[in-house]
Amino acid sequence: MPYFVYKISPPRVLEHLATLNQYQAARAQVRSLRQAGAAGVEYRLIFARQQGEAERLLATPRDERVIGED
């Protein structure tokens, strides 16, 4: 399965930047984009079967992690 690199700008606009087969290459690209990135822009790496699945996973809001008891 490939690795997809996305640029996420407010208000949660996804822009596909690259599709890579090797994790190391994808990770290096995301790290370099994050270092040179603008404020408010997020770069994400996601592992999925297809581009549509990757976009669905990125668009779904995640719940806050709860650590410990209240």
Side-chain angles (χ1 to χ4, degrees):
M1 284 196 298
Y3 297 91
F4 297 94
V5 178
Y6 278 89
K7 175 182 176 182
I8 305 173
S9 353
R12 205 83 180 145
V13 176
L14 301 174
E15 180 184 340
H16 178 254
L17 299 178
T19 302
L20 301 160
N21 289 322
Q22 293 183 340
Y23 173 73
Q24 291 84 4
R27 183 183 65 183
Q29 182 175 5
V30 170
R31 284 184 176 178
S32 67
L33 288 168
R34 286 177 181 163
Q35 287 178 351
V41 176
E42 184 180 352
Y43 294 96
R44 296 281 309 270
L45 170 65
I46 189 155
F47 184 64
R49 289 186 189 102
Q50 310 172 23
Q51 185 175 346
E53 180 184 1
E55 290 178 5
R56 182 182 53 79
L57 290 170
L58 287 172
T60 304
R62 297 185 347 185
D63 294 334
E64 293 291 324
R65 289 182 53 189
V66 177
I67 300 175
E69 294 182 33
D70 290 333

